[in-house]
């Protein structure tokens, strides 16, 4: 079952065409890995899919599912949205409570555990390292369940063990019928992942469809 | 609605933890009002005649001072993206930020204002009306300032731009508020001026969050 599809989308940033004619189809349990050189528009594509940007042309469609109560998108971008004055736990409790007030704290604690940062629960966000902030940011995916994860360079700043945990969570998410779109330069082990190469969609370049 | 309250609570926690912006606004208000007797001279008659204007001009400058970074931190660290994806509307975000701003800057001004008014010899009969004018007027300042703060998102040197955008819009509440206080000091009815202030609040309350939300969506795209 397709949960997200994009038809021939083109993206323009600051008056410059970044990519065009990008089509994709994401199935429940599926994964798409977006690759391309720096500036190829990987981040823009994810923001387009999330609805944070509007495509210049084309359309993005999501298929609602009556028996999936999760919200549509979980997004991890370059900015970690970690508040420096709140503790790691409070940061997650806020997002957990925003999604669902019931047992927000318990869910936040579980998410800290999933990314092995329980020992940082009481430390303020400002003293966390880049990798620890990234783990906290990934924890947000777990406290506010979403059907489609849009991950923009999720493994940046993560150590090897962190990457392994991320891969494990992605696998669990796929098993629960969720889909993942990842933009990355690093090889992540994701079951059944298709690759979307934005190089083929550079403006001025001949695309697969001509 | 629940998201709104959730956001306001988070903003209040953030302000209480860091305290800088809100504390600075209040300190600015106190210091500015204190400066006037030195500049104008201590004669009670002269001070008393300009007291309403001094309180109000100081209050709106203090509001402006604390307004610049209203949405900035949430914009820079990606929180705005996350809130929108969590299904919170840009209008609700704007309303929550503005409400939290008023609670930590407008409300303390309201509490400190009588003390400062005594310092600059506000006529005795005008205290109640001054409080009323601030109670109706400072939310208008926060609401209008919220539009400006959203418009300057992502701009460099936004502070000066914010002042240029917002200060002209602060003129109507200033006129009606000072008019009300002066009327009370002269023993006239402040009612018409206060009603105008209330009207401004009734208009700004629904319109400002919508305008600020439009500006927020503009910068994110």
């Amino acid at each position: 079952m397709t949960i997200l599809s994009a038809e021939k989308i083109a993206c323009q940033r600051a008056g410059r065409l970044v990519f065009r004619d990008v089509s994709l189809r994401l199935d429940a349990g599926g994964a798409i890995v977006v690759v391309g050189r720096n500036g190829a528009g990987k981040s823009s594509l994810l923001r387009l899919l999330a609805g944070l940007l509007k495509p210049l042309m084309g359309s993005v469609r999501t298929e609602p599912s009556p028996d999936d109560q999760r919200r549509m998108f979980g997004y991890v971008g370059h900015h970690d949205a970690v508040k420096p004055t709140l503790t790691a736990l409070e940061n997650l409790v806020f997002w957990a409570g925003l999604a669902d007030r019931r047992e927000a704290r318990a869910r936040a604690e579980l998410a800290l555990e999933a990314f092995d940062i329980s020992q940082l629960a009481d430390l303020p966000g400002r003293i966390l390292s880049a990798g620890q902030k990234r783990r906290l940011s990934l924890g947000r995916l777990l406290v506010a369940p979403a059907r489609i994860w849009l991950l923009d360079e999720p493994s940046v700043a993560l150590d090897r063990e962190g990457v392994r945990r991320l891969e494990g969570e992605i696998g669990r998410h796929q098993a629960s019928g969720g889909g993942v779109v990842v933009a990355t330069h690093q090889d992540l082990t994701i079951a059944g992942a298709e690759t979307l190469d934005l190089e083929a969609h550079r403006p001025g370049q001949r695309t697969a469809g001509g | 609605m629940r998201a709104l309250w959730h956001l306001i609570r988070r903003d209040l926690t953030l302000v209480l933890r860091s305290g800088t912006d809100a504390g600075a606004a209040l300190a600015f208000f106190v210091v500015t009002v204190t400066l006037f007797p030195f500049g104008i001279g201590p004669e009670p008659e002269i001070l008393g005649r300009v007291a309403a204007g001094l309180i109000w001009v100081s209050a709106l400058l203090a509001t402006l001072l604390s307004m610049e970074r209203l949405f900035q931190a949430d914009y820079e660290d990606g929180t705005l993206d996350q809130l929108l994806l969590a299904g919170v509307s840009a209008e609700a975000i704007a309303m929550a930020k503005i409400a939290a701003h008023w609670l930590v800057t407008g409300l303390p001004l309201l509490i400190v204002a009588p003390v400062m008014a005594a310092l600059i010899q506000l006529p005795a009969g005008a205290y109640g009306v001054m409080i009323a004018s601030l109670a109706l007027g400072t939310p208008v300042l926060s609401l209008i300032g919220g539009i400006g703060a959203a418009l300057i998102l992502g701009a460099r040197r936004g502070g000066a731009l914010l002042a240029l955008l917002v200060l002209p819009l602060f003129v109507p509440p200033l006129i009606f508020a000072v008019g009300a206080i002066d009327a009370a000091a002269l023993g006239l009815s402040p009612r018409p001026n206060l009603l105008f202030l209330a009207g401004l609040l009734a208009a700004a309350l629904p319109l400002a969050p919508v305008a600020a939300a439009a500006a927020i969506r503009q910068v994110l795209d």
Side-chain angles (χ1 to χ4, degrees), chain A:
Chain A
M1 189 186 65
T2 305
I3 51 179
L4 172 73
S5 59
E7 278 300 321
K8 286 187 171 288
I9 49 175
C11 169
Q12 183 183 357
R13 303 298 291 149
R16 193 178 62 91
L17 195 60
V18 183
F19 57 74
R20 65 192 178 102
D21 286 334
V22 173
S23 299
L24 59 85
R25 189 172 294 275
L26 180 68
D27 293 329
I32 295 175
V33 176
V34 183
V35 297
R37 79 202 138 81
N38 295 130
K42 299 187 291 298
S43 299
S44 298
L45 177 62
L46 292 194
R47 293 178 65 84
L48 267 173
L49 294 177
L52 290 169
L53 295 181
K54 300 226 174 356
L56 182 65
M57 283 186 288
S59 62
V60 176
R61 282 187 49 194
T62 53
E63 298 296 331
S65 159
D67 44 60
D68 196 335
Q69 294 302 310
R70 295 179 288 184
R71 71 180 220 221
M72 198 48 89
F73 292 112
Y75 172 69
V76 173
H78 291 293
H79 302 297
D80 286 319
V82 170
K83 288 291 166 196
T85 47
L86 297 183
T87 66
L89 182 63
E90 285 170 332
N91 266 294
L92 279 190
V93 168
F94 168 72
W95 294 107
L98 190 65
D100 183 358
R101 193 166 29 183
R102 283 165 297 169
E103 295 173 6
R105 199 187 161 85
R107 281 183 289 132
E109 280 167 351
L110 278 177
L112 287 177
E113 209 163 295
F115 285 100
D116 193 27
I117 43 174
S118 299
Q119 73 283 6
L120 308 174
D122 297 325
L123 295 182
R126 74 172 168 276
I127 65 166
L128 299 182
S129 76
Q132 290 169 333
K133 273 188 201 160
R134 182 39 61 107
R135 285 172 182 237
L136 194 54
S137 192
L138 290 167
R140 202 172 39 232
L141 292 170
L142 305 183
V143 298
R147 290 179 71 196
I148 302 168
W149 287 4
L150 302 170
L151 311 178
D152 195 355
E153 309 274 6
S155 56
V156 165
L158 285 186
D159 55 24
R160 200 165 298 171
E161 190 261 344
V163 171
R164 206 176 44 71
R165 282 180 184 268
L166 169 63
E167 288 168 346
E169 290 305 328
I170 289 177
R172 247 188 295 283
H173 178 59
Q174 287 176 298
S176 75
V180 193
V181 182
V182 198
T184 183
H185 289 293
Q186 207 178 345
D187 281 332
L188 291 173
T189 314
I190 301 171
E194 296 168 34
T195 302
L196 173 67
D197 188 355
L198 285 182
E199 289 302 320
H201 299 277
R202 263 162 90 169
Q205 206 98 335
R206 285 182 65 85
T207 56

Side-chain angles (χ1 to χ4, degrees), chain B residues 41-140:
Chain B
E43 292 86 1
E45 315 81 62
I46 300 176
L47 273 177
R49 204 175 313 147
V50 295
L54 296 189
I55 290 280
W56 255 86
V57 170
S58 305
L60 63 85
L61 289 178
T63 305
L64 190 67
L65 183 76
S66 55
M67 207 82 221
E68 186 185 342
R69 291 193 53 81
L70 185 63
F71 298 106
Q72 198 73 33
D74 281 347
Y75 168 65
E76 283 169 0
D77 71 10
T79 301
L80 280 183
D81 291 343
Q82 295 294 344
L83 288 173
L84 290 173
L85 285 177
V88 186
S89 68
E91 285 80 7
I93 298 173
M95 190 64 233
K97 302 287 296 181
I98 291 169
H101 175 267
W102 182 77
L103 286 174
V104 296
T105 58
L107 199 57
L109 284 190
L110 216 66
I111 295 163
V112 178
V115 181
M116 301 317 292
L119 188 76
I120 54 172
Q121 315 282 347
L122 185 78
Y127 278 76
V129 176
M130 181 198 68
I131 302 275
S133 77
L134 285 170
L136 289 171
T138 49
V140 178

Side-chain angles (χ1 to χ4, degrees), chain B:
Chain B
M1 198 58 208
R2 198 178 65 73
L4 196 73
W5 176 232
H6 198 67
L7 255 179
I8 293 176
R9 273 217 337 241
R10 183 208 64 155
D11 269 30
L12 294 180
T13 314
L14 287 176
V15 170
L16 292 178
R17 291 277 168 84
S18 58
T20 46
D21 277 10
L26 191 61
F28 178 88
F29 175 71
V30 170
V31 171
T32 313
V33 175
T34 316
L35 283 178
F36 280 106
F38 295 107
I40 299 173
E43 292 86 1
E45 315 81 62
I46 300 176
L47 273 177
R49 204 175 313 147
V50 295
L54 296 189
I55 290 280
W56 255 86
V57 170
S58 305
L60 63 85
L61 289 178
T63 305
L64 190 67
L65 183 76
S66 55
M67 207 82 221
E68 186 185 342
R69 291 193 53 81
L70 185 63
F71 298 106
Q72 198 73 33
D74 281 347
Y75 168 65
E76 283 169 0
D77 71 10
T79 301
L80 280 183
D81 291 343
Q82 295 294 344
L83 288 173
L84 290 173
L85 285 177
V88 186
S89 68
E91 285 80 7
I93 298 173
M95 190 64 233
K97 302 287 296 181
I98 291 169
H101 175 267
W102 182 77
L103 286 174
V104 296
T105 58
L107 199 57
L109 284 190
L110 216 66
I111 295 163
V112 178
V115 181
M116 301 317 292
L119 188 76
I120 54 172
Q121 315 282 347
L122 185 78
Y127 278 76
V129 176
M130 181 198 68
I131 302 275
S133 77
L134 285 170
L136 289 171
T138 49
V140 178
L141 299 183
S142 289
L143 285 160
I144 295 174
I147 305 175
L151 282 170
I152 61 159
L153 262 187
R156 273 178 300 157
R157 315 249 339 116
L161 193 59
L162 178 66
L164 288 175
L165 279 173
V166 159
L167 282 179
L169 296 175
F170 280 179
V171 172
L174 176 65
I175 290 174
F176 293 122
V178 174
I181 302 172
D182 282 346
L186 293 170
L188 303 171
S189 166
R191 198 177 133 82
N193 280 305
L194 287 179
L195 283 178
F196 267 111
L197 259 186
L200 286 177
L201 178 58
L205 201 56
L207 293 180
V210 173
I216 290 173
R217 287 202 207 91
Q218 193 69 36
V219 279
L220 287 181
D221 197 82

